[in-house]
Amino acid sequence: MTKILKWVGIIATGGVAAVFLLSVLWLNSTLPDYSKSLSSPDLTGTVLIERDEFGVPNIIAETFDDAAFGMGYVQAQDRLWQMEMIRRIVQGRLAEVMGPDMVYMDVTHRVFDQLPTVREKTSQRLDPDVRKTFAAFAAGVNLAIENGEGTSSPEWVLLGATPEPWSADDVSMFMEMNAQTADDGGRELFMAAQGLVLSDDEMAFHYQKNDPSFPTLFKDLERVHGHSNPTATSMSDDGRPGTNFFVVGPSRSATGSPILAVDPHLPTLAPGLVYPLMVTLPDEQLAGGTWIGSPAIVFGHNSKIAWGMTHMYADVMDYIVEKVDPNDPGRYLTPDGGSLPFENRTITIDIKGGESKSINVRYTHNRPVLNDPPLFRDGKVAAPYDTIEKVYGPGHVLVRRQMNIEVGALTIQSVLKMSRAYDWASFREAIKDYEWSNSIVYADIEGNIGVQMSGRLPVRKKVNGWDGQRLAHGWLGEGEWAGDIPFDELLHVYNPPKGWIADSNSRVVDADFPYRLTDSHSPPWRVRRAYALLEAKENHSVNDLVDMQMDSYTEGGAWLMERVKRFQMHTPEAKAALDRLENWDFVMDRDRPEPLLWAALELSLQERVMNQQHEVIQGLRADPLRLSRMLESEHPWCDLPTTQTAETCEDAVNDAMENALAKVSKVHGSN
């Protein structure tokens, strides 16, 4: 019996090993073949692709369009599945290959984001020479598909799908998938829900104006347009994932030439959204990261200039509440006292297996109604959209207008033109097509540095005082735009006297700017730290800028700690923890216990003074600025609504510290 069991064990082990070996061999067979030589009638000359030790390609060609062909080919070799999925997201066609679970994601992109509409309008606006370059890129993708490159990867096999041919229009849309979250348009929805339960004073407390001493990007460098409008305001918001750039000119550079560093803070994905490559032409070399699925280098340099960008979070989206005609539910009221009929359109989502789902969508002024139950799985309206009837009552619907939906998007065309620019003037000309709200930084081999505001930014008609900071009331004529801010009125700075430029999603403009730009930006800690590091030395090396990007000092933590340490701790453990934090240098060193304790305390403070009050406040991240204001003002939210006693902010800080210690001890031990 023992021998039989032994042989069974050997056979089983051998079977597992054989399956593992076969799996490895199969997976290895799906890898790209980098040694092929192919021909195509779409090429005008020879394209040579050389890869370095990390697999990063250098595409050597006689013309940029031939190089774009090569870019399409190598990206398809390495990322075809990713490219196909992004394309299907943009088209609202995921359910065709992934089944019914993707139906409502397709609905989101077809109805809410209207990406098929954006695609059509973008196609109509492309420059002919740019379309030619995009077509060359698409031809390179198609050659890879025809030769089986990237089509045998496990994802294709598992889903039983195959990629369709590519076109120039597919390439033109690849950045737009991310444009939908590129502003603070959803803020009005949260504020409407909060206004149901918070007093006017409490709302003002959370959305108060910034301290005027906080940095403002263009004012702190050098204003180039003199505006005066004391009514324009900018308020601190809850902080978001951000971006950084640092650039020093020759007067502040250890090399005597500009040094530019950009950190886009893109999501950690596998694979990522940026594809690194080099392009070598007879009289030009480009290097950097293209947005996957395109030949446009988003962060990089050519032989004359370098560029990058940070995000401004400008508000290019407005939510508008429309009132249904009480005498006819098929119509909605207009400002002139009349009404118009809803337009009904049917969208059909094809589903893997041959089925389909058709959904009726109502439109007002060519904008879809977003809070209709059929647009959501099981008819359960998403929380931000069910706010409308809670605030306004039955008989109201929500629509949204957004700049790229109305005019199309040429951002990827602009980025392509940037990579072909050769000086500040041609670079700014390329930015005119750029429609995302960014601060775009520049440096060149002549020693010049600069930064330019960008974006197609709406100018709102101020009916009834509405300026985009709250939900618009369509039946009163609110929510209308008077075009967009002319490019010549967007601020720029060129060769500032300081000799350096830095940004970390800080305030871009102050009250002098004549248009409302945004109510959202990062708290000031990051950019103030950047300013301090740049001023700490007269000249900076490349490694200095690398160190700035890797800097882990938390000024926000130091700011909030000044408020926390004013309170007496009630237990020896809490006092010991506070003493440790008071003696900390606020560097987030992963080998030290203080950063772990501090992160737990900050989170516990949010839970204690905000999340335990009302669910509508939970959408507000309690960053150090907001928490500091609470603790300094002895705000009534330090008092728990669920108890009979009146807790103080000292009680709240002690509760938070004890909770933080308990959480850290539970996960990491009591030491």
Side-chain angles (χ1 to χ4, degrees), residues 252 254 500 532-541 544 548:
R252 303 299 299 271
W500 56 260
L533 292 172
L534 284 163
E535 286 298 322
K537 292 177 64 175
E538 185 63 29
N539 293 301
H540 294 275
S541 66
D544 289 334
M548 288 181 201

Side-chain angles (χ1 to χ4, degrees), residues 523-597:
W525 326 119
R526 292 161 53 218
V527 73
R528 293 210 306 197
R529 176 64 171 171
Y531 288 3
L533 292 172
L534 284 163
E535 286 298 322
K537 292 177 64 175
E538 185 63 29
N539 293 301
H540 294 275
S541 66
V542 171
N543 287 336
D544 289 334
L545 268 65
V546 171
D547 290 341
M548 288 181 201
Q549 288 191 328
M550 301 302 293
D551 180 68
S552 58
Y553 175 77
T554 170
E555 184 177 333
W559 176 283
L560 180 55
M561 188 61 197
E562 287 298 313
R563 281 76 187 164
V564 170
K565 71 181 186 182
R566 298 173 186 173
F567 299 101
Q568 294 294 319
M569 295 293 101
H570 297 169
T571 67
E573 294 80 8
K575 186 179 185 306
L578 184 64
D579 288 343
R580 179 181 285 276
L581 290 174
E582 282 193 69
N583 293 313
W584 176 38
D585 61 5
F586 292 94
V587 173
M588 300 295 277
D589 184 342
R590 64 183 179 183
D591 295 324
R592 296 290 305 167
E594 292 89 353
L596 182 65
L597 177 59

Side-chain angles (χ1 to χ4, degrees), residues 264-282:
H265 289 199
L266 292 171
T268 303
L269 304 174
L273 294 173
V274 171
Y275 184 92
L277 53 72
M278 294 179 62
V279 173
T280 301
L281 302 174

Side-chain angles (χ1 to χ4, degrees), residues 363-618:
Y363 282 77
T364 71
H365 293 81
N366 211 35
R367 300 162 199 151
V369 173
L370 304 182
N371 61 324
D372 276 353
L375 300 181
F376 302 89
R377 191 183 302 276
D378 302 323
K380 296 178 180 177
V381 180
Y385 301 107
D386 68 13
T387 297
I388 302 311
E389 289 203 351
K390 290 180 180 178
V391 176
Y392 295 93
H396 294 84
V397 298
L398 183 73
V399 302
R400 183 177 69 194
R401 69 180 308 181
Q402 155 177 344
M403 187 60 81
N404 65 335
I405 289 175
E406 302 196 2
V407 300
L410 296 182
T411 294
I412 199 164
Q413 172 171 288
S414 174
V415 174
L416 187 68
K417 290 180 177 180
M418 284 183 212
S419 67
R420 296 172 171 177
Y422 53 87
D423 60 13
W424 177 242
S426 57
F427 186 73
R428 290 191 69 225
E429 187 66 27
I431 293 174
K432 289 182 179 179
D433 286 339
Y434 197 93
E435 290 168 338
W436 287 12
S437 61
N438 288 123
S439 297
I440 304 183
V441 67
Y442 166 96
D444 66 33
I445 62 170
E446 301 298 327
N448 303 300
I449 63 174
V451 61
Q452 169 73 55
M453 282 175 60
S454 72
R456 189 174 289 275
L457 310 172
V459 177
R460 294 169 171 88
K461 293 183 179 179
K462 294 187 178 180
V463 177
N464 302 324
W466 175 84
D467 64 355
Q469 295 189 69
R470 61 168 174 80
L471 296 177
H473 302 148
W475 69 94
L476 298 179
E478 301 169 3
E480 297 301 316
W481 294 349
D484 54 281
I485 302 175
F487 181 79
D488 288 342
E489 295 193 48
L490 299 180
L491 305 183
H492 71 270
V493 169
Y494 187 57
N495 290 332
K498 290 183 178 182
W500 56 260
I501 308 171
D503 184 44
S504 298
N505 313 113
S506 56
R507 285 194 304 176
V508 177
V509 298
D510 62 10
D512 290 338
F513 194 64
Y515 306 99
R516 175 180 168 265
L517 188 64
T518 181
D519 301 317
S520 293
H521 44 74
S522 289
W525 326 119
R526 292 161 53 218
V527 73
R528 293 210 306 197
R529 176 64 171 171
Y531 288 3
L533 292 172
L534 284 163
E535 286 298 322
K537 292 177 64 175
E538 185 63 29
N539 293 301
H540 294 275
S541 66
V542 171
N543 287 336
D544 289 334
L545 268 65
V546 171
D547 290 341
M548 288 181 201
Q549 288 191 328
M550 301 302 293
D551 180 68
S552 58
Y553 175 77
T554 170
E555 184 177 333
W559 176 283
L560 180 55
M561 188 61 197
E562 287 298 313
R563 281 76 187 164
V564 170
K565 71 181 186 182
R566 298 173 186 173
F567 299 101
Q568 294 294 319
M569 295 293 101
H570 297 169
T571 67
E573 294 80 8
K575 186 179 185 306
L578 184 64
D579 288 343
R580 179 181 285 276
L581 290 174
E582 282 193 69
N583 293 313
W584 176 38
D585 61 5
F586 292 94
V587 173
M588 300 295 277
D589 184 342
R590 64 183 179 183
D591 295 324
R592 296 290 305 167
E594 292 89 353
L596 182 65
L597 177 59
W598 177 254
L601 176 59
E602 189 175 353
L603 180 61
S604 294
L605 279 170
Q606 165 154 342
E607 293 173 347
R608 173 60 177 79
V609 301
M610 296 186 70
N611 294 1
Q612 294 188 31
Q613 299 294 329
H614 197 284
E615 61 182 7
V616 300
I617 313 166
Q618 295 178 18

Side-chain angles (χ1 to χ4, degrees), residues 122-136:
T122 301
S123 177
Q124 295 168 357
R125 297 178 60 208
L126 284 179
D127 289 357
D129 63 324
V130 171
R131 178 178 291 281
K132 184 169 173 286
T133 300
F134 288 173

